[in-house]
Amino acid sequence: LQQTKDNYEFQRKLLEAQFAISGAVTVEDHIEEQEQSSTPSIDATAFQNFLDEQEQPSAPIHATAIQNSILRVAASTDRGQYASTAQKESVASLVETLESNKPKQIDTFSSSATLPSYLAGTWELTYSTNQLFRSSPFFLAGRSTCKTQAEVDQYNWFCEMHRAALAISTIGVVRQVISRDGKLTNEFEVKVGAVPFVSDFLPFVKYSGGLPLTVDGAIVSTADATPMSMENKDD
């Protein structure tokens, strides 16, 4: 121990002599300066803010409030048919939030020939970004045949012209009934207004108006929604 202490004192005096030549004061000053230069400066306020952000839990998602916001837009725009661009963007953002926070579901598509229980049931269309009648399997199948953007644009134009040609009709409830065995039934209620002119049937009656008539009905179509494997999904 005495030898180690003597070696330390010798090295200390040697360093002090070297520092004196180079302008340094003492070994303690050099060590303190070295420690200060090797320690980065930290903004205490910024560091505390960083800790607060890490400890603060993420805000919970209020699914019911988001759903109510979507339903309010749907109710005031006839299920999205008369929604403005801003309203459509708002609903799209709300839907994305719901989808990103949806509860975990067990995927049974790949291991079962039946649909999951959370898909089966009667579903009513409350909001759509397209014409309401396009929920029909007939129009869904037509859309699936489009392979290029040009074909998609042409099909969209066809659907717009189809709706314009039926402007005198009012679309009622649109629903889909899905069973676990894969059967999908689409029900499309519609009311068509007709105003036949009396003079067309009674030429001797001079009357410029007509008799308001409405025809109520429903268009029902079915499809097979049985799950398929990824190998034959295009068959």
Side-chain angles (χ1 to χ4, degrees):
L1 292 176
Q2 183 64 32
Q3 185 178 4
T4 303
K5 183 177 181 180
D6 293 341
N7 291 337
Y8 173 78
E9 291 295 334
F10 173 77
Q11 293 177 2
R12 176 187 178 88
K13 292 180 179 180
L14 180 61
L15 287 173
E16 287 181 348
Q18 293 177 349
F19 294 150
I21 296 174
S22 61
V25 180
T26 62
V27 176
E28 286 81 357
D29 294 337
H30 176 72
I31 295 175
E32 182 178 357
E33 179 182 356
Q34 185 178 19
E35 290 178 350
Q36 290 178 354
S37 61
S38 61
T39 304
S41 60
I42 300 177
D43 188 336
T45 303
F47 184 69
Q48 185 61 43
N49 292 338
F50 172 78
L51 293 178
D52 294 340
E53 292 177 358
Q54 299 301 314
E55 295 176 357
Q56 183 177 4
S58 58
I61 300 299
H62 299 286
T64 302
I66 295 177
Q67 292 172 355
N68 289 337
S69 298
I70 296 174
L71 292 175
R72 280 194 293 269
V73 176
S76 62
T77 61
D78 189 14
R79 293 163 287 186
Q81 297 303 284
Y82 303 104
S84 63
T85 301
Q87 288 174 317
K88 291 180 180 179
E89 293 176 351
S90 175
V91 171
S93 177
L94 293 173
V95 171
E96 183 179 354
T97 301
L98 287 177
E99 290 178 341
S100 61
N101 292 274
K102 64 181 179 181
K104 299 294 184 180
Q105 299 284 3
I106 300 177
D107 183 13
T108 59
F109 285 91
S110 58
S111 61
S112 175
T114 60
L115 293 175
S117 58
Y118 58 83
L119 289 182
T122 300
W123 302 88
E124 182 176 335
L125 180 62
T126 57
Y127 181 84
S128 176
T129 56
N130 291 317
Q131 295 87 355
L132 301 180
F133 58 81
R134 292 181 65 167
S135 64
S136 166
F138 173 81
F139 288 95
L140 291 176
R143 173 62 179 83
S144 65
T145 61
C146 300
K147 304 300 183 183
T148 65
Q149 186 59 44
E151 292 178 348
V152 172
D153 295 338
Q154 186 176 9
Y155 189 76
N156 290 337
W157 175 86
F158 165 76
C159 291
E160 291 175 359
M161 294 300 101
H162 178 72
R163 184 67 187 102
L166 300 176
I168 61 173
S169 63
T170 301
I171 300 175
V173 177
V174 180
R175 68 174 66 89
Q176 285 185 346
V177 182
I178 303 176
S179 60
R180 293 207 62 187
D181 60 0
K183 182 179 180 181
L184 185 151
T185 303
N186 190 85
E187 301 175 354
F188 182 89
E189 296 182 1
V190 63
K191 179 182 294 185
V192 180
V195 186
F197 287 93
V198 178
S199 58
D200 293 338
F201 301 94
L202 303 173
F204 56 87
V205 176
K206 302 298 182 181
Y207 179 65
S208 60
L211 298 177
L213 299 176
T214 58
V215 179
D216 297 346
I219 301 174
V220 180
S221 55
T222 60
D224 183 7
T226 304
M228 298 184 300
S229 63
M230 295 303 295
E231 289 77 10
N232 62 354
K233 66 182 181 63
D234 294 327
D235 295 344

